[in-house]
Structure formats: structure tokens, C-alpha cells
Amino acid sequence: MGISAGPRPAFTAAGLALLVAVLAGCGTDPADTATSRSTASSSPSPSPAVKSTEKASTKAKPSPATATKSPAPASSASQRGLGVKGNLETAHGTYLQVSPAEDDPAWTLDPALVEPKLLSLYSQAQIEEAHRNNLAFMVEEGLDSPLNGGAWTPDQWWAANGQRIAPELQGMARQSLSDGSPFGGVVMQSTFHQERYGDSYRYVYEQDRSRFTKLDIEVLEVWLADDNKSIVTEISATAEMEVAPGAGEPGTNTQVIEASMTLCSRPGETAGEWLITDWRNLFQVTAG
């Protein structure tokens, strides 16, 4: 079980950094590309005990009223090449949750990155749809979840997103949100540097601003998971998040994230629905 080789690129520590790796059974990489991969700089944690094998549903559904993301106004995020999903209300304040910009090349799937075997099971349109769903989740929730920084509780996140997880994984997934592993790794749940700097190291929460100031995405590969149903997207991402002025080391006002992220999803029971079946993330976080 698991992915045959470590994620690309191999990260090197720069200054104070915290490296977090989470592995689950998205399946092996396509055989023609696995040998080109670098070995990760940190060994991933063990895979979840349950592997996705059955058909299920659904893709993201409307969130409860307490978790509704409303359409967002124009923002500094969109002006810097970041897209905006909408305003997100939290205990720390309201912020603009990000998504890849509408014109980000990552949305458009390069056929050269797709494992040919996928085309024997899915149409090109279905593969592209799954890829876009995977990509959106990895950025909107994997990176910019309100759990990153503790602005929501695990219960709040689950109420808004739990239906996006395959049914046979939900018990383990819900519990591990509180435990922090392994499912917690699908969502960044901490600023990480808070343990060293205390509560002064916190993100900026303003209604017309994103917590992110930079996001660069590269789509690495798209392939068929070991369950022969799930479509896997792997990306490499570099991002920066703004923290409160004066937080952390002198002059520090950003948090830099380098990530290798892999997400698996399979069709639901309704056309256009996709369920998350597995994931693999590796985050390196440094004070900017």
C-alpha cells in the first residue's frame, strides 16, 4: 500500500523549519515516471489501516449555515495571482479563503501528465473534472483550511466537509482530525511556529484580505489509484502566508510553505460528484 516513491521535489531545510509528512494509499505512481522521483527528506508516517475500494459519493455539498462561504469581493489576493473562493467566518475573524486563480495553468490538464490507463476507464472530460476537484481541495482546504491556525474546531470543519470523504473512511477520518494523524495531514492544522513563538505568531484575519500572499502550483502527474477507481492528482506547491506584524523572529511577517500534495478521488453516485479516498502530503514550513 502507498505510493512507490517519495514526493517531488526533495525539500531541504532552510533556517527553522517543521517538516510534516502524511502518507496514505493513493496507490503506486505510473511505472514510467516512478524512477524519476526524488526521495523525500523525511520518512512518511504509516498508511491508514483502511484503503478505499468501494463506490461512494459525494463531492462537496453546500455547507451548513455556520460554515457558508459567501461570494467574495475583489481582493488583494486576486490581484496577486491568487483566486478567491469566498469569505470564511471564524473565531479569529473573517478572511478570504483562496483557490487557484481562474487563469492558473494548473486547472488545465496537460495530456502528457495523464497515465494512459485512465483513458480506458474514464473519458477525458471525467479525468479533467476529477483533477479540478482534487486541485481545488488541495489548495482551498489542504493549505488554506480554517483548521490551519485553529480558527475552526475539528467539529466545524467536519460539519462543512465530512461528506466529501468516502463513507468507509469517515470514522477514522473524523477521529484523526482531533488526533492530528494520519487524516489531519490532509489539512494543515497549525501555523507550526506557534510552539516556539506562542500566540503572537498568528495569521492576519481581515474581511477583504487573504491570508496567502503567494501561490505557485505545478501539476506533476495524474494516474489511476490501486483501487482501480480513484483518479490521483499530484502537485508541488510553494506558498506564503501573512502573519501578524512583529510575530516570530525580528522582521518576520510571512510563513513560507513548500508542499508535495497528492489526492485521490472516485466518482460518486451522482454525475459530477467525487469522493476523497486517500491522500499524501508533505509540508515544509519556515518563517519567512
Side-chain angles (χ1 to χ4, degrees), residues 38-55:
S38 303
T39 300
S41 58
S42 174
S43 298
S45 58
S47 303
V50 180
K51 182 175 178 180
S52 308
T53 55
E54 302 175 2
K55 184 176 180 181

Side-chain angles (χ1 to χ4, degrees), residues 1-3 21-27 44-53 165-166 168-177 179-186 226 262-264 276-281:
M1 183 185 294
I3 299 173
V22 176
L23 172 67
C26 281
S45 58
S47 303
V50 180
K51 182 175 178 180
S52 308
T53 55
I165 312 301
E168 69 273 19
L169 297 181
Q170 289 199 0
M172 178 275 292
R174 176 61 191 88
Q175 179 60 45
S176 56
L177 276 177
D179 295 343
S181 178
F183 185 78
V186 77
D226 281 350
T262 303
L263 194 72
C264 315
I276 295 168
T277 56
D278 267 313
W279 61 90
R280 178 180 185 172
N281 291 334

Side-chain angles (χ1 to χ4, degrees), residues 5 25 47 62 77 83 116 120-121 127 136 142-143 148 160 163 169 178 186 232 249-250 268:
S47 303
S120 67
L121 297 174
I127 295 169
L143 291 176
N148 182 9
Q163 76 280 356
L169 297 181
S178 298
V186 77
V232 187
E249 296 173 344

Side-chain angles (χ1 to χ4, degrees), residues 180-225:
S181 178
F183 185 78
V186 77
V187 175
M188 290 183 64
Q189 294 196 64
S190 171
T191 61
F192 296 128
H193 296 294
Q194 285 177 321
E195 290 186 6
R196 174 169 178 173
Y197 301 126
D199 291 338
S200 65
Y201 199 96
R202 63 189 184 279
Y203 300 132
V204 174
Y205 291 86
E206 295 183 12
Q207 188 169 0
D208 61 348
R209 294 174 66 182
S210 153
R211 303 187 300 179
F212 276 79
T213 57
K214 176 182 178 182
L215 176 65
D216 293 318
I217 303 169
E218 179 185 3
V219 179
L220 302 179
E221 288 166 310
V222 176
W223 72 91
L224 181 66

